[in-house]
Amino acid sequence: MTPVRRSHLHSAAFLLLCAALTAPAVFAQDFWQPGKYSLETYKPKKPSSPYGWKVDVTYPTGNSGSFPLIFMFNGMECQASWYKDIVDHVASWGYVIVQYTTGVSYPFMFGERKEVEYLTPLLRWLEKDAPVQEPKLAGKIDFSRKAVMGHSRGGKLASLHYANSTNNFTTAVLFDPVDCSREAQGDTHPSAIAALAGVNAACDVIHPAPHGTSTLSAAIIGAGITSGGCNPVENNADAFFGTLSTESLYIKVKEAGHMTFAQPPTWSWFYSIYNNMCGSCSCSNITSQEVISEARTMAVAWLESKLRPSQDTTAHLARYKEHLMTLTVKGVETVHWPFEGVSAGSLLGTDVEVSAGAAAAV
């Protein structure tokens, strides 16, 4: 090759490199990256609700049209602020997320059978009164696209709403959900596992249904560490997955405790006690921040696949699948991958039940 031709080739390569470095990056290519929207949170001083509970509405700013509506339910006696990392990440992808925090004793006194009645007036408030009280919310919510999320008891509430066709929720995202704990027994505590299977049963008579009974699918991320008082066997994430349809996504974090999916913004004695009681281990190979990161990433992946399906979403799911395969060292298993036709690189296999590290797994 002549020196002149080599020089031209080097110059062309240099120009291509410069163009690649200066070209705008594809935004939010990966579900674990923040979305493109800045956020605001509306906290009404006097929310229009039957109980006067605190309500948080987190939504994208600007005049960007309407966004799907997501209800996020707290764990037993947990605060909405404990899920800020999850909520902000998901909302930044273009979702309006509504949370409420009950009174301390309410879950024990009235149970989920009464609490599920709260959602209809809350929806009515969002449609009629909230845009008047907070004009920035006007036109922000697409009420035709709705989903539910929840942690612990909140996962149970999300499942009860999802199983009930009244409000037409498209799907659910469950963070270590719990159905019938020893603190939630009797007729005031209906079984969400039974409801997903189309059965109305209270927590003192429920026996978990076999896998495949429900026609509903959801995304679940569960803790590998179980505790009788927090996420008891046969009423934890495994049991929910065993009842949901085979189109569900299930991820398990072996060294995660039940409360590692939540994190208060400042130190909380209640959280510390709850976290220790639920099987937290300081010697764990994975931190709460990493568990939360995987939970919020899964939430975005699932919601995008169900509420915004597209070729672009499919490409992102393939990247997410590759991401899951790197997590074996952290003890994260992909127990079930439901997205047929979405493969990671040239690796084989979809719709299988093996760990994230095996070449034929995810």
Side-chain angles (χ1 to χ4, degrees):
M1 185 181 293
T2 66
V4 173
R5 180 169 176 75
R6 186 182 300 112
S7 176
H8 282 310
L9 288 175
H10 288 171
S11 298
F14 177 75
L15 290 173
L16 287 172
L17 176 61
C18 290
L21 292 174
T22 58
V26 177
F27 188 83
Q29 183 177 353
D30 301 314
F31 294 131
W32 52 90
Q33 296 175 345
K36 66 181 180 181
Y37 295 100
S38 299
L39 305 174
E40 288 191 29
T41 299
Y42 174 50
K43 299 174 181 285
K45 294 182 180 179
K46 294 182 179 180
S48 300
S49 72
Y51 311 112
W53 291 337
K54 294 179 180 178
V55 175
D56 291 8
V57 184
T58 303
Y59 61 95
T61 59
N63 300 317
S64 304
S66 59
F67 302 94
L69 174 63
I70 313 294
F71 287 95
M72 172 68 188
F73 301 97
N74 308 337
M76 177 76 77
E77 296 190 317
C78 298
Q79 304 294 305
S81 62
W82 294 11
Y83 304 98
K84 180 176 173 58
D85 285 348
I86 291 175
V87 167
D88 284 358
H89 184 82
V90 175
S92 75
W93 275 75
Y95 295 92
V96 176
I97 302 184
V98 178
Q99 302 168 270
Y100 64 80
T101 300
T102 68
V104 174
S105 60
Y106 185 91
F108 298 103
M109 293 178 62
F110 300 100
E112 298 79 34
R113 194 174 298 280
K114 183 69 175 175
E115 187 172 336
V116 293
E117 298 175 1
Y118 175 58
L119 201 65
T120 297
L122 183 58
L123 265 168
R124 188 161 51 244
W125 172 77
L126 285 167
E127 289 181 296
K128 296 182 177 180
D129 297 333
V132 176
Q133 298 171 8
E134 177 52 86
K136 293 179 181 178
L137 284 176
K140 282 286 184 186
I141 303 175
D142 179 358
F143 289 95
S144 68
R145 292 185 292 170
K146 301 189 295 291
V148 285
M149 301 193 302
H151 168 238
S152 186
R153 177 179 179 268
K156 174 178 183 174
L157 285 164
S159 298
L160 288 169
H161 286 299
Y162 183 31
N164 185 341
S165 61
T166 301
N167 290 311
N168 297 315
F169 289 108
T170 300
T171 192
V173 178
L174 311 177
F175 309 113
D176 206 36
V178 175
D179 192 14
C180 300
S181 67
R182 64 192 182 197
E183 290 82 12
Q185 298 289 319
D187 189 59
T188 60
H189 299 282
S191 167
I193 291 175
L196 289 168
V199 177
N200 182 12
C203 274
D204 53 351
V205 297
I206 180 61
H207 299 284
H211 180 56
T213 297
S214 179
T215 60
L216 300 173
S217 62
I220 313 169
I221 185 167
I225 300 174
T226 59
S227 166
C230 298
N231 53 351
V233 176
E234 294 189 349
N235 285 286
N236 61 8
D238 285 344
F240 278 84
F241 172 64
T243 297
L244 288 161
S245 84
T246 55
E247 297 302 310
S248 299
L249 170 64
Y250 187 23
I251 297 168
K252 180 179 284 189
V253 189
K254 290 183 179 181
E255 296 185 34
H258 184 58
M259 289 305 296
T260 53
F261 295 90
Q263 186 67 59
T266 58
W267 185 85
S268 165
W269 66 268
F270 176 74
Y271 175 85
S272 297
I273 293 174
Y274 206 179
N275 192 29
N276 290 330
M277 181 181 71
C278 292
S280 173
C281 177
S282 59
C283 61
S284 175
N285 191 40
I286 192 166
T287 66
S288 180
Q289 288 75 21
E290 289 171 308
V291 173
I292 290 170
S293 177
E294 293 312 316
R296 68 192 189 188
T297 298
M298 182 197 74
V300 172
W302 185 256
L303 292 171
E304 290 289 291
S305 73
K306 297 301 178 181
L307 298 176
R308 295 191 181 106
S310 67
Q311 288 184 342
D312 189 49
T313 301
T314 300
H316 292 169
L317 285 171
R319 288 279 295 138
Y320 178 47
K321 194 174 186 183
E322 290 179 344
H323 167 76
L324 288 173
M325 292 182 62
T326 68
L327 297 176
T328 305
V329 67
K330 290 292 184 180
V332 179
E333 289 184 324
T334 305
V335 180
H336 193 76
W337 176 263
F339 302 108
E340 185 177 356
V342 176
S343 60
S346 60
L347 293 173
L348 303 176
T350 59
D351 205 29
V352 293
E353 297 183 21
V354 290
S355 72
V362 288

